[in-house]
Amino acid sequence: MERESSLEHGFDPRDGAPGTARFSGAVRIRFGYSLAMARLRRTAGFWASALLVVTWGCGGTTILEHDGSAAAGPDDPSSSETQPGSAGHDGGPNASSGACSAGEARCNGSFRRETCTEAGAWIETDFVCARTVAVDDDIGSYCVTKADGAYRCWGAESSGAVDVPPLPDEIYRRVQLTRYGLIGLTEDGRLRAAEFTIPESFSQVVTFRQTNMWGNVGVCSLRSDGAFEMFLYNPREPDGPSTRTQSVEGGPFSRMYCAWEGMTAAVRADGTVLSNHVTPPPGNDFAELALSVGIFCGLRTDGTISCHRPPADTIGDLDVGPDLPAFPSGRYRSITATVGVVCAIDEQDALVCRRYDGRDMPVPPARYVSAEGGHNVVCAVRADGSTACFRHGGVGNLDLENVSDFAPVEPPLDPGW
């Protein structure tokens, strides 16, 4: 079993260089750089409150818990947003009025879990629902952030998860664990990093993702004014760390996407697509995108999904075959991708996943409201406010013809937290 570590807080890049390409039957692309980068040495930060270290067995999995309390919680109106399964990206209530069936569970407008009694009535519980999940596409770590700002992150030991210092004390609505430490988006729309400083934006940040961008730490953000901005930080400069801000022209944008080694894409406010690594698909009816090594998919406003292969340029060393992911007929509400799999949530709240070559990748049935993929992990928020994460194999050498089925990540992130 792969050894992992977990970090819980009560508040909640690989070196890149242009490569060369060649084709032989199946799509095959050759790296011009090393897939692995030596772990960055870092000094553990000072923990403001007590740490609890627990060994879970099965490969020596370790949990680090950091205690604290949030200044705002799920009863704070500023915490209420729309669930990705309904109309947005950053979590929120998915409850509806009416009778229920005994045993059902859902999250209400205060981000509390409600359960249905034998009499068919909803009863609120003390369980605080998960608000967002964040998966790092560079190292495959993953974080869950609850509606009260509490967050928990898990990552491979090689990511240095045990040693990372905590984020500044704020209320966070999304937290990501990266090779360079924790990064979080505060309730009031500011980005905070544990190990370096991110310049303040002129307007509130709506969402973000950190990934390796051309060998730099790349923090990509979408602002409330529709601007797509990248903050690039290089800690390995001979004269000391360097920082620069780079804006993506061509907006305003409604969605932005960054994937490792410099892949960027965005959906404009008018529904057209901007991309720096593929020819954008035609049309002005796009709602979301999913991209990673060897795949580029678009979700249109009519709920249909189409995928195509990026050109063989600087992206990877993979054999994916001539086929593409094809999803069953019907309407879908969101899409995401790992290095070898594309997943979508349909109108019945099912999570449907396909390998790049089109093969089915089953996940346990449940009602899902949002999902995020990266590296070889997909994490999702269920309708009852719990979370689930799944990992597939076939990534170490990017032999995507041998991607293995998903396996649930153990120990689970819920219940009990």
Side-chain angles (χ1 to χ4, degrees), residues 31 49 95 124 126 175 179 195 231 253 294 310 348 350 387 404:
F31 270 110
S49 28
E124 184 176 282
D126 291 332
V175 172
R179 190 183 298 275
E195 300 196 40
F231 167 71
F253 301 101
Q348 287 71 48
T387 56
S404 62

Short mmCIF file of all heavy atoms in Angstrom, two decimals, residues 31 49 95 124 126 175 179 195 231 253 294 310 348 350 387 404:
data_model
loop_
_atom_site.label_atom_id
_atom_site.label_comp_id
_atom_site.label_asym_id
_atom_site.label_seq_id
_atom_site.Cartn_x
_atom_site.Cartn_y
_atom_site.Cartn_z
N PHE A 31 8.70 13.00 -23.76
CA PHE A 31 9.09 14.09 -22.88
C PHE A 31 10.45 14.64 -23.27
O PHE A 31 11.34 13.91 -23.66
CB PHE A 31 9.21 13.58 -21.43
CG PHE A 31 7.94 13.70 -20.68
CD1 PHE A 31 7.22 12.57 -20.34
CD2 PHE A 31 7.46 14.93 -20.31
CE1 PHE A 31 6.07 12.68 -19.62
CE2 PHE A 31 6.31 15.05 -19.58
CZ PHE A 31 5.60 13.92 -19.25
N SER A 49 -0.85 25.32 17.64
CA SER A 49 -1.53 24.54 18.64
C SER A 49 -1.08 23.10 18.57
O SER A 49 -0.25 22.74 17.76
CB SER A 49 -3.06 24.64 18.48
OG SER A 49 -3.45 24.90 17.19
N ALA A 95 -30.09 21.35 -0.78
CA ALA A 95 -31.34 20.86 -0.24
C ALA A 95 -32.53 21.42 -1.01
O ALA A 95 -32.48 22.47 -1.61
CB ALA A 95 -31.44 21.26 1.23
N GLU A 124 -32.14 18.21 11.13
CA GLU A 124 -30.78 18.73 11.00
C GLU A 124 -29.86 18.07 12.03
O GLU A 124 -30.24 17.88 13.18
CB GLU A 124 -30.77 20.24 11.18
CG GLU A 124 -29.40 20.86 10.97
CD GLU A 124 -29.42 22.38 11.05
OE1 GLU A 124 -29.85 23.02 10.08
OE2 GLU A 124 -29.02 22.91 12.10
N ASP A 126 -25.51 17.75 13.50
CA ASP A 126 -24.35 18.60 13.75
C ASP A 126 -23.26 18.43 12.70
O ASP A 126 -22.24 19.13 12.76
CB ASP A 126 -23.76 18.29 15.13
CG ASP A 126 -24.67 18.72 16.26
OD1 ASP A 126 -25.45 19.69 16.04
OD2 ASP A 126 -24.62 18.11 17.34
N VAL A 175 -8.70 24.76 -0.04
CA VAL A 175 -7.30 24.59 0.34
C VAL A 175 -6.70 23.50 -0.53
O VAL A 175 -7.34 22.47 -0.79
CB VAL A 175 -7.18 24.21 1.84
CG1 VAL A 175 -5.74 23.84 2.18
CG2 VAL A 175 -7.67 25.35 2.72
N ARG A 179 3.39 20.62 -3.85
CA ARG A 179 4.79 20.31 -3.58
C ARG A 179 5.47 21.43 -2.79
O ARG A 179 6.48 21.21 -2.12
CB ARG A 179 5.53 20.10 -4.92
CG ARG A 179 6.92 19.53 -4.80
CD ARG A 179 7.58 19.42 -6.14
NE ARG A 179 6.89 18.52 -7.05
CZ ARG A 179 7.07 17.21 -7.11
NH1 ARG A 179 7.92 16.64 -6.28
NH2 ARG A 179 6.40 16.47 -7.97
N GLU A 195 4.16 29.01 2.51
CA GLU A 195 5.62 29.06 2.39
C GLU A 195 6.14 30.16 1.47
O GLU A 195 7.34 30.27 1.26
CB GLU A 195 6.14 27.70 1.95
CG GLU A 195 5.78 26.60 2.93
CD GLU A 195 6.60 25.34 2.74
OE1 GLU A 195 7.81 25.46 2.49
OE2 GLU A 195 6.04 24.25 2.82
N PHE A 231 0.37 33.77 -11.01
CA PHE A 231 1.50 34.19 -10.20
C PHE A 231 2.55 33.10 -10.28
O PHE A 231 2.29 31.94 -9.93
CB PHE A 231 1.07 34.41 -8.75
CG PHE A 231 2.21 34.54 -7.79
CD1 PHE A 231 3.02 35.66 -7.81
CD2 PHE A 231 2.50 33.54 -6.88
CE1 PHE A 231 4.08 35.79 -6.93
CE2 PHE A 231 3.55 33.65 -5.99
CZ PHE A 231 4.35 34.79 -6.02
N PHE A 253 -13.27 36.11 -18.57
CA PHE A 253 -13.46 34.68 -18.54
C PHE A 253 -14.46 34.28 -17.45
O PHE A 253 -14.61 34.97 -16.44
CB PHE A 253 -12.13 33.97 -18.27
CG PHE A 253 -11.08 34.28 -19.30
CD1 PHE A 253 -10.08 35.21 -19.04
CD2 PHE A 253 -11.07 33.64 -20.53
CE1 PHE A 253 -9.10 35.49 -19.98
CE2 PHE A 253 -10.10 33.92 -21.48
CZ PHE A 253 -9.11 34.86 -21.21
N GLY A 294 -2.61 14.62 -22.78
CA GLY A 294 -3.21 13.77 -23.79
C GLY A 294 -4.71 13.89 -23.96
O GLY A 294 -5.29 13.11 -24.73
N PRO A 310 -4.90 16.50 -27.68
CA PRO A 310 -3.99 17.61 -27.92
C PRO A 310 -2.92 17.23 -28.93
O PRO A 310 -2.63 16.04 -29.12
CB PRO A 310 -3.37 17.88 -26.55
CG PRO A 310 -4.29 17.26 -25.57
CD PRO A 310 -4.88 16.08 -26.28
N GLN A 348 -28.50 13.03 -13.09
CA GLN A 348 -28.97 12.18 -12.00
C GLN A 348 -27.97 12.12 -10.86
O GLN A 348 -28.08 11.29 -9.96
CB GLN A 348 -29.26 10.77 -12.52
CG GLN A 348 -30.52 10.65 -13.39
CD GLN A 348 -30.35 11.31 -14.75
OE1 GLN A 348 -29.33 11.07 -15.42
NE2 GLN A 348 -31.30 12.13 -15.13
N ALA A 350 -24.92 11.12 -10.89
CA ALA A 350 -23.99 10.01 -10.96
C ALA A 350 -22.64 10.50 -11.47
O ALA A 350 -22.57 11.38 -12.32
CB ALA A 350 -24.52 8.92 -11.87
N THR A 387 -17.30 13.06 1.52
CA THR A 387 -16.42 13.07 0.36
C THR A 387 -15.92 11.67 0.06
O THR A 387 -15.93 10.78 0.92
CB THR A 387 -15.20 13.99 0.59
OG1 THR A 387 -14.51 13.57 1.78
CG2 THR A 387 -15.62 15.43 0.74
N SER A 404 -5.07 1.32 -14.43
CA SER A 404 -5.84 0.35 -13.66
C SER A 404 -7.14 0.98 -13.17
O SER A 404 -7.31 2.20 -13.19
CB SER A 404 -5.03 -0.15 -12.47
OG SER A 404 -4.73 0.94 -11.59
#
